[in-house]
Amino acid sequence: MFKKYQIYIVNIFIKNLVFISLVFLSLSFILNFFEELKFFENYKVGLKYPIFLTFLNSPSILFELFPFIFLISVKSFYINLNDKNELNIFKNHGIDNLKILTLLSASTLLCGAFILLVFYTLSSNLKNHYLNLKNKFSSENEYLAVVNENGLWIKEEINGYSNIIHAKKFYKNKIENITITQSNLENAEVKIITAQNADISDKNWTLNNVVVLENMTKNKKFNKFEYNSSFDGEIISNLFSNLNSMNIYQLNLLLSNYAKIGYSTTDVKVHLNRLYSLPIFYLLMTILGLLIMMKLKFIKSKFFIIVIGTIVSVFIYYINYFSSLFGSNETIPIMMSIWLPHLILFLFCLLGGVKLNEN
């Protein structure tokens, strides 16, 4: 059973967390709304469409801000208790700083698990709808590209032809075992092009060892064959680069599909490890925020303490960011790129937590 002081401490922390989250959500909504207005300035869609898209995109933005939210929330929590002299009251009743830190740590882990399993699933689904709706206004809206267990599939309409492209293997600028089915939109004539591989470094693809079947009768062979597409390797890669629009199940499925077609799985692995590490990251930011407040009591200005904590959190955020870039570039192992900064931060928090009850 929870004791009354435990319920009281957890309630204050959760209230601060919810309040700070709502503040950041409001700021994200406002800033993103102006971006959507700028995007739609040449379209006659009114205000409803930008507002709706902003609503879909804001949770994804908020998700990226949660490390800062936990840090600011624990600072606000400490200030609230300190202003009411409740920290001294707790100490007089045998509730020391370590017990408070333990309660906040447990609460943060539970909140982190909820954010990862529930909130992220919701935000990724909304982000997916956001991208699908916004892509309707793209200049290249006559195509569809999908990666599944059977390989890469592309549908595009060019110069009166509907083309369905299938490749069993996909690398950045190269595809292998290709089948292109062309249908004339006017007379329904069908042409099937098969190729061993193709260079797709630009939109003018070069196909090698090609067989062209016209009207299911004429069979022609070519060593080289040019195919004009609306895609190149970079565009295809970028279509699947927004991993925030996929939930954890979809990311694992994509990881499996990438492996089957020979495409690099590095970015997906980095993203998944980053997601799995987030509850621990939130925990460390909470501990760090509380340590900053307790260790810097000699600074009387609350404003300067908050500024110092914010600077530290931004510094930590960018260390994590650049470390993950090293993992994406395969400069260092993926696991190390994600978890090593957390280990360093954990050691720092452990060092700062020594003699915590003496503060």
Side-chain angles (χ1 to χ4, degrees):
M1 295 293 293
F2 279 104
K3 297 180 181 179
K4 288 185 178 180
Y5 83 87
Q6 294 174 324
I7 297 174
Y8 179 73
I9 290 174
V10 171
N11 280 341
I12 293 178
F13 177 66
I14 297 298
K15 286 179 181 178
N16 279 279
L17 182 64
V18 171
F19 175 75
I20 300 298
S21 298
L22 290 175
V23 170
F24 273 84
L25 179 62
S26 300
L27 292 174
S28 302
F29 188 92
I30 294 170
L31 294 175
N32 189 237
F33 175 67
F34 286 115
E35 289 185 14
E36 299 301 335
L37 282 179
K38 185 177 180 180
F39 178 84
F40 287 105
E41 61 184 358
N42 296 322
Y43 300 96
K44 296 180 181 180
V45 295
L47 289 177
K48 291 183 179 180
Y49 215 87
I51 290 174
F52 181 62
L53 286 179
T54 303
F55 170 78
L56 294 178
N57 194 39
S58 294
S60 182
I61 299 174
L62 180 67
F63 180 77
E64 298 297 325
L65 298 174
F66 270 119
F68 302 101
I69 291 172
F70 274 95
L71 186 90
I72 295 174
S73 297
V74 77
K75 288 175 177 292
S76 177
F77 162 85
Y78 181 88
I79 291 172
N80 287 342
L81 293 187
N82 194 51
D83 286 347
K84 298 176 183 178
N85 201 33
E86 290 180 336
L87 289 173
N88 290 328
I89 296 174
F90 285 147
K91 286 183 181 180
N92 293 332
H93 287 79
I95 304 167
D96 54 28
N97 293 334
L98 187 58
K99 289 183 179 179
I100 295 175
L101 180 60
T102 302
L103 271 175
L104 295 183
S105 298
S107 301
T108 299
L109 284 175
L110 289 174
C111 290
F114 175 83
I115 290 170
L116 178 61
L117 298 176
V118 179
F119 184 86
Y120 175 73
T121 301
L122 173 64
S123 69
S124 63
N125 289 337
L126 293 177
K127 183 77 171 184
N128 184 53
H129 289 304
Y130 166 82
L131 293 174
N132 289 335
L133 289 172
K134 201 166 184 177
N135 283 341
K136 292 181 179 179
F137 294 88
S138 171
S139 59
E140 297 177 339
N141 59 357
E142 297 297 328
Y143 62 72
L144 174 67
V146 176
V147 171
N148 60 27
E149 65 276 6
N150 296 318
L152 171 68
W153 294 86
I154 296 174
K155 179 182 179 298
E156 58 181 351
E157 294 180 6
I158 299 178
N159 299 326
Y161 285 90
S162 175
N163 302 317
I164 298 177
I165 304 165
H166 173 234
K168 291 185 178 179
K169 297 288 184 180
F170 169 46
Y171 309 96
K172 184 173 183 181
N173 289 314
K174 185 178 180 181
I175 53 177
E176 296 181 357
N177 298 327
I178 309 140
T179 302
I180 303 175
T181 304
Q182 286 188 330
S183 301
N184 192 309
L185 297 177
E186 293 182 358
N187 55 27
E189 291 183 355
V190 177
K191 179 190 294 185
I192 299 176
I193 303 170
T194 60
Q196 183 178 355
N197 55 63
D199 180 359
I200 58 171
S201 54
D202 56 42
K203 293 182 180 180
N204 189 31
W205 295 6
T206 301
L207 281 64
N208 301 307
N209 299 326
V210 181
V211 176
V212 179
L213 181 64
E214 295 184 4
N215 297 323
M216 308 305 292
T217 56
K218 299 178 181 179
N219 195 333
K220 298 179 180 179
K221 295 183 179 181
F222 304 88
N223 291 327
K224 301 285 185 181
F225 190 88
E226 300 294 326
Y227 173 78
N228 294 317
S229 175
S230 56
F231 291 87
D232 57 28
E234 182 178 359
I235 292 174
I236 295 173
S237 297
N238 289 337
L239 288 173
F240 309 106
S241 63
N242 200 320
L243 300 177
N244 286 325
S245 63
M246 301 181 184
N247 58 43
I248 294 176
Y249 171 77
Q250 291 168 333
L251 286 168
N252 280 287
L253 184 61
L254 184 67
L255 181 68
S256 175
N257 291 337
Y258 274 3
K260 288 178 181 178
I261 68 172
Y263 188 56
S264 172
T265 60
T266 301
D267 288 340
V268 183
K269 288 180 178 178
V270 168
H271 188 71
L272 278 170
N273 274 276
R274 176 178 167 272
L275 289 177
Y276 296 150
S277 72
L278 281 178
I280 302 299
F281 189 29
Y282 298 155
L283 170 64
L284 294 173
M285 294 298 278
T286 298
I287 295 173
L288 180 64
L290 194 62
L291 289 176
I292 289 173
M293 299 302 290
M294 290 182 172
K295 296 290 184 179
L296 299 182
K297 285 184 177 180
F298 60 90
I299 300 178
K300 300 302 180 183
S301 173
K302 299 175 185 176
F303 174 77
F304 282 113
I305 294 179
I306 293 175
V307 168
I308 291 172
T310 303
I311 292 173
V312 170
S313 66
V314 171
F315 179 71
I316 292 170
Y317 178 85
Y318 278 104
I319 287 178
N320 281 329
Y321 173 74
F322 287 116
S323 180
S324 65
L325 285 183
F326 285 127
S328 298
N329 296 331
E330 299 184 345
T331 305
I332 60 177
I334 293 172
M335 293 287 287
M336 182 182 294
S337 70
I338 300 300
W339 293 96
L340 183 59
H342 295 344
L343 178 60
I344 295 173
L345 183 57
F346 168 75
L347 295 175
F348 181 81
C349 291
L350 191 63
L351 181 64
V354 174
K355 299 181 180 179
L356 181 65
N357 287 329
E358 294 181 5
N359 291 282

